[in-house]
Every structure is written in structure tokens, then in C-alpha cells.
Coordinates of all heavy atoms in Angstrom, one line a residue:
M1 N 0.8 -1.2 0.0 CA 0.0 0.0 0.0 C 0.9 1.2 0.0 O 1.8 1.3 0.8 CB -0.9 0.1 1.3 CG -2.0 -0.9 1.3 SD -3.0 -0.6 2.7 CE -4.5 0.0 2.0
N2 N 0.5 2.1 -0.8 CA 1.3 3.4 -0.9 C 0.6 4.4 0.0 O -0.4 4.2 0.6 CB 1.5 3.9 -2.3 CG 0.2 4.2 -3.0 OD1 -0.8 4.4 -2.3 ND2 0.2 4.3 -4.3
T3 N 1.2 5.6 0.1 CA 0.7 6.6 1.0 C -0.7 7.1 0.7 O -1.5 7.3 1.6 CB 1.7 7.8 1.0 OG1 3.0 7.4 1.2 CG2 1.4 8.9 2.1
N4 N -1.0 7.3 -0.6 CA -2.3 7.7 -1.0 C -3.4 6.7 -0.5 O -4.5 7.1 -0.1 CB -2.4 7.9 -2.5 CG -1.6 9.1 -2.9 OD1 -1.3 10.0 -2.1 ND2 -1.2 9.2 -4.2
Q5 N -3.2 5.5 -0.7 CA -4.1 4.4 -0.3 C -4.3 4.4 1.2 O -5.5 4.3 1.7 CB -3.7 3.1 -0.8 CG -3.8 2.9 -2.3 CD -3.2 1.6 -2.7 OE1 -2.3 1.1 -2.1 NE2 -3.7 1.1 -3.9
I6 N -3.3 4.6 2.0 CA -3.4 4.6 3.4 C -4.2 5.9 3.9 O -5.0 5.8 4.7 CB -2.0 4.6 4.1 CG1 -1.3 3.3 3.8 CG2 -2.1 4.9 5.6 CD1 0.1 3.2 4.3
E7 N -3.9 7.0 3.3 CA -4.7 8.2 3.6 C -6.1 8.1 3.2 O -7.0 8.5 4.0 CB -4.1 9.4 2.9 CG -2.8 9.9 3.4 CD -2.2 11.1 2.7 OE1 -2.9 11.6 1.8 OE2 -1.1 11.5 2.9
A8 N -6.4 7.4 2.1 CA -7.8 7.2 1.7 C -8.5 6.2 2.7 O -9.7 6.4 3.1 CB -7.9 6.6 0.3
L9 N -7.8 5.2 3.1 CA -8.3 4.2 4.1 C -8.6 4.9 5.5 O -9.6 4.7 6.1 CB -7.3 3.1 4.3 CG -7.8 2.0 5.3 CD1 -9.1 1.3 4.8 CD2 -6.7 1.0 5.5
V10 N -7.6 5.7 5.9 CA -7.8 6.5 7.2 C -9.0 7.4 7.1 O -9.8 7.5 8.0 CB -6.5 7.2 7.6 CG1 -6.8 8.2 8.7 CG2 -5.4 6.2 7.9
G11 N -9.1 8.1 5.9 CA -10.2 9.0 5.7 C -11.6 8.3 5.7 O -12.5 8.8 6.4
M12 N -11.6 7.1 5.1 CA -12.9 6.4 5.1 C -13.2 5.9 6.5 O -14.4 5.9 6.9 CB -12.8 5.2 4.1 CG -12.9 5.6 2.7 SD -13.1 4.2 1.5 CE -12.0 2.9 2.1
L13 N -12.2 5.4 7.2 CA -12.5 5.0 8.6 C -13.0 6.1 9.5 O -13.8 5.9 10.3 CB -11.2 4.3 9.2 CG -10.8 3.0 8.6 CD1 -9.5 2.5 9.2 CD2 -11.9 2.0 8.8
V14 N -12.4 7.3 9.3 CA -12.8 8.5 10.1 C -14.3 8.8 9.7 O -15.1 9.0 10.6 CB -11.9 9.7 9.8 CG1 -12.5 11.0 10.4 CG2 -10.5 9.4 10.4
V15 N -14.6 8.8 8.5 CA -16.0 9.1 8.0 C -16.9 8.0 8.6 O -18.0 8.4 9.1 CB -16.1 9.2 6.5 CG1 -17.5 9.3 6.0 CG2 -15.3 10.5 6.0
A16 N -16.5 6.8 8.5 CA -17.4 5.7 9.0 C -17.6 5.8 10.5 O -18.7 5.6 11.0 CB -16.8 4.3 8.6
G17 N -16.5 6.2 11.2 CA -16.6 6.4 12.7 C -17.5 7.5 13.0 O -18.3 7.4 14.0
L18 N -17.4 8.7 12.3 CA -18.3 9.8 12.6 C -19.7 9.5 12.3 O -20.6 9.9 13.0 CB -17.8 11.0 11.8 CG -16.5 11.7 12.2 CD1 -16.1 12.8 11.2 CD2 -16.6 12.2 13.6
F19 N -19.9 8.7 11.2 CA -21.3 8.3 10.8 C -21.9 7.4 12.0 O -23.0 7.6 12.4 CB -21.3 7.6 9.5 CG -22.6 7.1 9.1 CD1 -23.5 8.0 8.5 CD2 -23.0 5.8 9.1 CE1 -24.8 7.6 8.1 CE2 -24.2 5.4 8.7 CZ -25.1 6.3 8.2
A20 N -21.1 6.5 12.5 CA -21.5 5.6 13.5 C -21.9 6.4 14.8 O -22.9 6.2 15.5 CB -20.5 4.5 13.8
I21 N -21.0 7.4 15.1 CA -21.3 8.2 16.3 C -22.5 9.0 16.2 O -23.3 9.2 17.1 CB -20.0 9.1 16.6 CG1 -18.9 8.3 17.0 CG2 -20.4 10.2 17.5 CD1 -17.6 9.1 17.1
M22 N -22.8 9.5 14.9 CA -24.0 10.3 14.7 C -25.3 9.4 14.7 O -26.4 9.8 15.1 CB -23.9 11.1 13.5 CG -22.8 12.2 13.5 SD -22.6 13.0 12.0 CE -24.1 13.9 11.8
V23 N -25.2 8.2 14.1 CA -26.4 7.4 14.0 C -26.7 6.5 15.2 O -27.9 6.2 15.5 CB -26.2 6.4 12.7 CG1 -27.3 5.4 12.6 CG2 -26.1 7.3 11.5
L24 N -25.7 6.2 16.0 CA -25.9 5.3 17.1 C -27.0 5.8 18.1 O -27.8 5.0 18.5 CB -24.6 5.0 17.8 CG -24.6 4.0 18.9 CD1 -25.0 2.6 18.3 CD2 -23.2 3.9 19.6
P25 N -26.9 7.1 18.5 CA -28.0 7.5 19.5 C -29.4 7.4 18.9 O -30.3 7.1 19.7 CB -27.6 9.0 19.7 CG -26.2 9.1 19.4 CD -25.9 8.1 18.3
S26 N -29.6 7.7 17.7 CA -31.0 7.5 17.1 C -31.4 6.1 17.1 O -32.6 5.8 17.3 CB -31.1 8.2 15.7 OG -30.2 7.5 14.8
L27 N -30.5 5.2 16.8 CA -30.8 3.8 16.8 C -31.2 3.3 18.2 O -32.1 2.5 18.4 CB -29.7 2.9 16.2 CG -29.4 3.1 14.7 CD1 -28.2 2.3 14.3 CD2 -30.6 2.7 13.9
V28 N -30.4 3.7 19.1 CA -30.6 3.3 20.5 C -32.0 3.9 21.0 O -32.8 3.2 21.6 CB -29.5 3.8 21.5 CG1 -29.9 3.7 22.9 CG2 -28.2 3.1 21.2
G29 N -32.3 5.1 20.6 CA -33.6 5.7 20.9 C -34.7 5.0 20.3 O -35.8 4.8 20.9
A30 N -34.6 4.6 19.0 CA -35.7 3.8 18.3 C -35.9 2.5 19.0 O -37.1 2.1 19.2 CB -35.3 3.7 16.9
V31 N -34.8 1.8 19.4 CA -35.0 0.5 20.0 C -35.7 0.7 21.4 O -36.6 -0.1 21.8 CB -33.6 -0.2 20.2 CG1 -33.7 -1.4 21.1 CG2 -33.1 -0.6 18.9
R32 N -35.3 1.8 22.1 CA -35.9 2.0 23.4 C -37.4 2.4 23.2 O -38.2 1.9 24.0 CB -35.2 3.2 24.0 CG -35.7 3.6 25.4 CD -34.8 4.6 26.0 NE -35.2 5.0 27.3 CZ -35.9 6.1 27.6 NH1 -36.2 7.0 26.7 NH2 -36.3 6.3 28.9
E33 N -37.8 3.2 22.2 CA -39.2 3.5 22.0 C -40.0 2.2 21.7 O -41.1 2.1 22.1 CB -39.3 4.5 20.8 CG -38.8 5.9 21.2 CD -39.8 6.6 22.2 OE1 -41.0 6.4 22.1 OE2 -39.3 7.3 23.0
R34 N -39.4 1.3 20.9 CA -40.1 0.1 20.5 C -40.4 -0.7 21.8 O -41.4 -1.3 22.0 CB -39.4 -0.7 19.5 CG -39.4 -0.1 18.1 CD -38.7 -0.9 17.1 NE -39.1 -2.3 17.1 CZ -39.9 -2.8 16.1 NH1 -40.3 -2.0 15.1 NH2 -40.3 -4.0 16.1
R35 N -39.4 -0.8 22.7 CA -39.5 -1.5 23.9 C -40.6 -0.9 24.8 O -41.4 -1.7 25.3 CB -38.2 -1.6 24.7 CG -38.2 -2.4 26.0 CD -36.9 -2.4 26.7 NE -36.2 -1.2 26.8 CZ -36.4 -0.3 27.8 NH1 -37.2 -0.6 28.8 NH2 -35.7 0.8 27.8
I36 N -40.6 0.4 24.9 CA -41.6 1.1 25.7 C -43.0 0.8 25.1 O -44.0 0.6 25.8 CB -41.3 2.6 25.8 CG1 -40.1 2.7 26.7 CG2 -42.5 3.3 26.4 CD1 -39.5 4.1 26.7
D37 N -43.1 0.9 23.8 CA -44.4 0.7 23.1 C -44.9 -0.7 23.4 O -46.1 -0.9 23.7 CB -44.3 0.9 21.6 CG -44.2 2.4 21.3 OD1 -44.5 3.3 22.1 OD2 -43.8 2.7 20.1
R38 N -44.0 -1.7 23.3 CA -44.4 -3.1 23.6 C -44.9 -3.2 25.0 O -45.9 -3.9 25.3 CB -43.2 -4.0 23.3 CG -43.6 -5.5 23.4 CD -42.4 -6.4 23.3 NE -41.6 -6.3 24.5 CZ -40.3 -6.0 24.6 NH1 -39.6 -5.8 23.5 NH2 -39.7 -6.0 25.8
Q39 N -44.2 -2.6 26.0 CA -44.6 -2.7 27.4 C -45.9 -2.1 27.6 O -46.8 -2.6 28.4 CB -43.5 -2.1 28.3 CG -42.2 -2.8 28.4 CD -41.1 -2.1 29.1 OE1 -41.3 -0.9 29.4 NE2 -40.1 -2.8 29.5
L40 N -46.2 -0.9 27.0 CA -47.5 -0.3 27.1 C -48.6 -1.1 26.5 O -49.7 -1.3 27.1 CB -47.5 1.1 26.4 CG -46.7 2.2 27.1 CD1 -46.6 3.4 26.2 CD2 -47.3 2.5 28.4
R41 N -48.3 -1.7 25.3 CA -49.3 -2.6 24.7 C -49.7 -3.8 25.7 O -50.8 -4.2 25.8 CB -48.9 -3.1 23.4 CG -49.5 -2.4 22.2 CD -49.2 -3.0 20.9 NE -48.0 -2.3 20.4 CZ -46.8 -2.8 20.2 NH1 -46.6 -4.1 20.4 NH2 -45.7 -2.1 19.8
E42 N -48.6 -4.4 26.2 CA -48.8 -5.5 27.1 C -49.6 -5.1 28.4 O -50.5 -5.9 28.8 CB -47.5 -6.1 27.5 CG -46.8 -6.9 26.4 CD -45.3 -7.3 26.8 OE1 -44.9 -6.9 27.9 OE2 -44.7 -8.0 25.9
A43 N -49.3 -4.0 28.9 CA -50.0 -3.5 30.1 C -51.5 -3.2 29.7 O -52.4 -3.6 30.5 CB -49.4 -2.2 30.6
Q44 N -51.8 -2.7 28.6 CA -53.1 -2.4 28.1 C -53.9 -3.8 28.0 O -55.0 -3.9 28.3 CB -53.2 -1.6 26.8 CG -52.9 -0.2 27.0 CD -52.8 0.6 25.7 OE1 -52.7 -0.1 24.6 NE2 -52.8 1.9 25.7
D45 N -53.2 -4.7 27.4 CA -53.8 -6.0 27.2 C -54.2 -6.7 28.6 O -55.2 -7.3 28.7 CB -52.9 -7.0 26.4 CG -52.8 -6.6 24.9 OD1 -53.7 -5.8 24.5 OD2 -51.9 -7.0 24.3
R46 N -53.2 -6.6 29.5 CA -53.5 -7.1 30.9 C -54.7 -6.4 31.5 O -55.5 -7.1 32.1 CB -52.2 -6.9 31.7 CG -51.2 -8.0 31.6 CD -50.2 -8.0 32.7 NE -49.6 -6.7 32.9 CZ -48.5 -6.3 32.4 NH1 -47.8 -7.0 31.6 NH2 -48.0 -5.0 32.6
D47 N -54.7 -5.1 31.4 CA -55.8 -4.3 32.0 C -57.1 -4.7 31.3 O -58.2 -4.9 32.0 CB -55.6 -2.8 31.8 CG -54.5 -2.3 32.7 OD1 -54.1 -3.0 33.6 OD2 -54.1 -1.2 32.5
R48 N -57.1 -4.9 30.0 CA -58.3 -5.2 29.3 C -58.8 -6.6 29.7 O -60.0 -6.8 29.9 CB -58.1 -5.2 27.7 CG -59.3 -5.1 26.9 CD -59.0 -4.9 25.4 NE -58.4 -3.6 25.2 CZ -57.2 -3.5 24.6 NH1 -56.6 -4.5 24.1 NH2 -56.7 -2.3 24.4
R49 N -57.9 -7.6 29.8 CA -58.2 -8.9 30.2 C -58.8 -8.9 31.7 O -59.8 -9.6 32.0 CB -57.1 -9.9 30.2 CG -56.8 -10.3 28.7 CD -55.8 -11.5 28.8 NE -54.5 -11.2 29.4 CZ -53.4 -10.8 28.7 NH1 -53.5 -10.7 27.4 NH2 -52.3 -10.5 29.4
A50 N -58.2 -8.1 32.5 CA -58.7 -8.0 33.9 C -60.0 -7.4 33.9 O -60.9 -7.8 34.7 CB -57.7 -7.2 34.8
E51 N -60.3 -6.4 33.1 CA -61.6 -5.7 33.1 C -62.6 -6.7 32.5 O -63.8 -6.7 33.0 CB -61.5 -4.5 32.2 CG -62.8 -3.7 32.1 CD -63.1 -3.1 33.5 OE1 -62.2 -2.7 34.3 OE2 -64.4 -2.9 33.7
D52 N -62.3 -7.5 31.5 CA -63.2 -8.5 31.0 C -63.6 -9.5 32.0 O -64.7 -9.9 32.1 CB -62.6 -9.1 29.8 CG -62.5 -8.2 28.5 OD1 -63.2 -7.2 28.6 OD2 -61.8 -8.6 27.6
Q53 N -62.6 -9.9 32.8 CA -62.9 -10.9 33.9 C -63.8 -10.3 34.9 O -64.7 -10.9 35.4 CB -61.6 -11.4 34.5 CG -60.8 -12.3 33.6 CD -59.5 -12.7 34.2 OE1 -59.1 -12.2 35.2 NE2 -58.8 -13.6 33.5
K54 N -63.6 -9.0 35.3 CA -64.4 -8.4 36.3 C -65.8 -8.2 35.8 O -66.8 -8.5 36.5 CB -63.8 -7.0 36.6 CG -62.6 -7.0 37.5 CD -62.2 -5.6 37.8 CE -60.9 -5.6 38.6 NZ -60.4 -4.2 38.8
S55 N -66.0 -7.8 34.5 CA -67.3 -7.5 34.0 C -68.1 -8.8 33.8 O -69.3 -8.8 33.9 CB -67.2 -6.7 32.7 OG -66.6 -7.5 31.7
S56 N -67.4 -9.9 33.5 CA -68.2 -11.1 33.3 C -68.6 -11.7 34.7 O -69.6 -12.5 34.7 CB -67.3 -12.1 32.6 OG -66.2 -12.5 33.4
S57 N -68.0 -11.4 35.8 CA -68.4 -11.9 37.0 C -69.4 -11.0 37.8 O -70.0 -11.4 38.8 CB -67.1 -12.1 37.9 OG -66.6 -10.8 38.2
R58 N -69.7 -9.8 37.2 CA -70.6 -8.9 37.8 C -72.1 -9.4 37.5 O -72.3 -10.0 36.5 CB -70.5 -7.5 37.3 CG -69.2 -6.9 37.8 CD -69.2 -5.4 37.3 NE -67.9 -4.8 37.7 CZ -67.4 -3.8 37.1 NH1 -68.0 -3.3 36.0 NH2 -66.2 -3.3 37.4
S59 N -73.0 -9.1 38.5 CA -74.4 -9.5 38.2 C -75.0 -8.5 37.3 O -74.5 -7.3 37.2 CB -75.1 -9.5 39.6 OG -75.2 -8.2 40.1
T60 N -76.0 -8.9 36.6 CA -76.7 -8.0 35.7 C -77.8 -7.2 36.3 O -78.5 -6.4 35.6 CB -77.2 -8.8 34.5 OG1 -78.1 -9.8 34.9 CG2 -76.0 -9.4 33.7
V61 N -78.1 -7.4 37.6 CA -79.2 -6.7 38.3 C -78.7 -5.3 38.6 O -77.6 -5.1 39.2 CB -79.6 -7.4 39.6 CG1 -80.6 -6.7 40.3 CG2 -80.0 -8.9 39.3
P62 N -79.4 -4.3 38.3 CA -79.0 -2.9 38.6 C -79.0 -2.6 40.1 O -79.8 -3.2 40.8 CB -80.0 -2.0 37.8 CG -81.2 -2.9 37.5 CD -80.7 -4.3 37.5
S63 N -78.1 -1.8 40.5 CA -78.0 -1.5 41.9 C -79.1 -0.6 42.3 O -79.9 0.0 41.5 CB -76.7 -0.8 42.2 OG -76.7 0.5 41.6
T64 N -79.3 -0.4 43.6 CA -80.3 0.4 44.2 C -80.1 1.9 43.7 O -81.1 2.6 43.4 CB -80.3 0.4 45.7 OG1 -80.4 -1.0 46.1 CG2 -81.4 1.2 46.3
A65 N -78.9 2.3 43.7 CA -78.6 3.7 43.3 C -79.0 3.9 41.8 O -79.6 5.0 41.5 CB -77.1 4.0 43.5
T66 N -78.8 2.9 41.0 CA -79.2 3.1 39.6 C -80.7 3.1 39.5 O -81.2 4.0 38.7 CB -78.6 1.9 38.8 OG1 -77.2 1.8 38.9 CG2 -79.0 2.0 37.3
R67 N -81.4 2.3 40.2 CA -82.9 2.3 40.1 C -83.4 3.6 40.7 O -84.3 4.2 40.1 CB -83.4 1.1 40.9 CG -83.4 -0.2 40.1 CD -84.0 -1.3 40.9 NE -82.9 -1.9 41.6 CZ -83.1 -2.5 42.8 NH1 -84.3 -2.7 43.3 NH2 -82.0 -3.0 43.4
Y68 N -82.8 4.1 41.7 CA -83.2 5.4 42.3 C -83.0 6.6 41.3 O -83.9 7.4 41.1 CB -82.5 5.7 43.6 CG -82.8 7.0 44.2 CD1 -84.0 7.3 44.8 CD2 -81.9 8.1 44.1 CE1 -84.3 8.5 45.4 CE2 -82.2 9.3 44.6 CZ -83.4 9.5 45.3 OH -83.6 10.8 45.8
A69 N -81.8 6.6 40.6 CA -81.5 7.6 39.7 C -82.5 7.5 38.5 O -82.9 8.6 38.0 CB -80.1 7.5 39.2
E70 N -82.8 6.3 38.0 CA -83.7 6.2 36.9 C -85.1 6.7 37.3 O -85.8 7.4 36.5 CB -83.8 4.8 36.4 CG -82.5 4.3 35.7 CD -82.5 2.8 35.4 OE1 -83.4 2.1 35.8 OE2 -81.6 2.4 34.7
G71 N -85.5 6.4 38.5 CA -86.8 6.9 38.9 C -86.9 8.4 39.0 O -87.8 9.1 38.6
R72 N -85.8 9.0 39.5 CA -85.7 10.5 39.6 C -85.7 11.1 38.1 O -86.4 12.1 37.9 CB -84.4 10.9 40.3 CG -84.3 10.4 41.7 CD -84.9 11.3 42.7 NE -84.2 12.7 42.6 CZ -84.7 13.7 43.2 NH1 -85.7 13.6 44.0 NH2 -84.1 14.9 43.1
R73 N -85.0 10.5 37.2 CA -85.0 11.0 35.9 C -86.4 11.0 35.2 O -86.9 11.9 34.6 CB -84.0 10.2 35.0 CG -82.6 10.7 35.1 CD -81.8 10.1 34.1 NE -80.6 9.5 34.8 CZ -80.3 8.2 34.8 NH1 -80.9 7.4 34.1 NH2 -79.3 7.8 35.5
S74 N -87.1 9.9 35.4 CA -88.5 9.8 34.8 C -89.4 10.7 35.4 O -90.3 11.3 34.8 CB -89.0 8.3 35.0 OG -89.1 8.0 36.3
K75 N -89.3 11.0 36.7 CA -90.2 12.0 37.4 C -89.9 13.4 36.8 O -90.8 14.2 36.6 CB -90.0 12.0 38.9 CG -90.6 10.8 39.5 CD -90.3 10.8 41.0 CE -90.8 9.6 41.7 NZ -90.5 9.5 43.1
K76 N -88.7 13.7 36.6 CA -88.3 15.0 36.0 C -88.9 15.2 34.6 O -89.4 16.2 34.3 CB -86.8 15.2 36.0 CG -86.2 15.5 37.3 CD -84.7 15.8 37.1 CE -84.0 16.0 38.4 NZ -82.6 16.2 38.3
L77 N -88.9 14.1 33.8 CA -89.4 14.2 32.5 C -90.9 14.4 32.5 O -91.4 15.1 31.7 CB -89.0 13.0 31.7 CG -87.5 12.8 31.4 CD1 -87.3 11.4 30.7 CD2 -87.0 13.9 30.5
V78 N -91.6 13.7 33.4 CA -93.0 13.8 33.5 C -93.5 15.2 33.9 O -94.4 15.8 33.4 CB -93.6 12.7 34.4 CG1 -95.1 12.9 34.7 CG2 -93.3 11.4 33.8
S79 N -92.8 15.8 34.9 CA -93.2 17.0 35.5 C -92.9 18.2 34.6 O -93.5 19.3 34.8 CB -92.5 17.2 36.9 OG -91.2 17.4 36.7
S80 N -92.0 18.1 33.7 CA -91.7 19.3 32.8 C -92.5 19.3 31.6 O -93.5 19.3 31.2 CB -90.2 19.3 32.4 OG -89.6 18.1 32.3

């Protein structure tokens, strides 16, 4: 290898190193964002499954408060 080839090789390595230094933070950030998105999706799925289990175990009979509120609403509609 002559001097010109060595200088070209060193120049290419410097450019490749600078490119890696500039691109690496964005790649790390993208990987981190994907991991956070996955964790959020998993948490939403767990919450949804837990909510489905709660709602399926609840009785379908309305509570006293619901019946009272419905009665109050119907009286307001009749009197106005």
C-alpha cells in the first residue's frame, strides 16, 4: 500500500466512525421506543383482560342507586 491508499483508508475509517457516532444515538432511541411501546401494549392487554374478567363476574341486576336515579329522571321528564 502506498501513502495515498493509506490516507484514503484512514479518511474512510474516520468518516465511517463519525457516521456511527451520529447514527448510534438515534438507533438506541428507536430501540428504546419500541420496547416502551411493547410494554405499554402488554399493560393495556393485561388491563383489558382483567376488566373483561371483572365485567363477566358482575351481576346484571342494577344497583339500588341506579334504580333510584332512573326513577328521579323519569319524574323530572313527566313534571316538565
Side-chain angles (χ1 to χ4, degrees):
M1 284 184 112
N2 62 21
T3 308
N4 289 338
Q5 290 174 330
I6 292 174
E7 286 179 6
L9 179 63
V10 169
M12 286 192 321
L13 290 175
V14 168
V15 169
L18 289 174
F19 181 75
I21 289 172
M22 293 175 67
V23 170
L24 188 63
S26 64
L27 291 177
V28 169
V31 168
R32 182 173 180 257
E33 288 290 324
R34 287 179 58 101
R35 180 177 49 88
I36 291 171
D37 288 344
R38 188 187 72 235
Q39 289 174 345
L40 287 173
R41 259 185 270 115
E42 289 172 356
Q44 286 175 344
D45 290 343
R46 278 194 307 267
D47 290 347
R48 198 172 298 126
R49 282 193 301 264
E51 184 66 30
D52 289 344
Q53 289 175 353
K54 284 181 186 177
S55 66
S56 66
S57 64
R58 291 183 185 156
S59 68
T60 57
V61 178
S63 69
T64 306
T66 304
R67 281 183 269 151
Y68 176 75
E70 287 173 354
R72 300 270 301 171
R73 275 189 234 122
S74 63
K75 287 180 185 175
K76 285 182 181 178
L77 292 175
V78 171
S79 65
S80 27

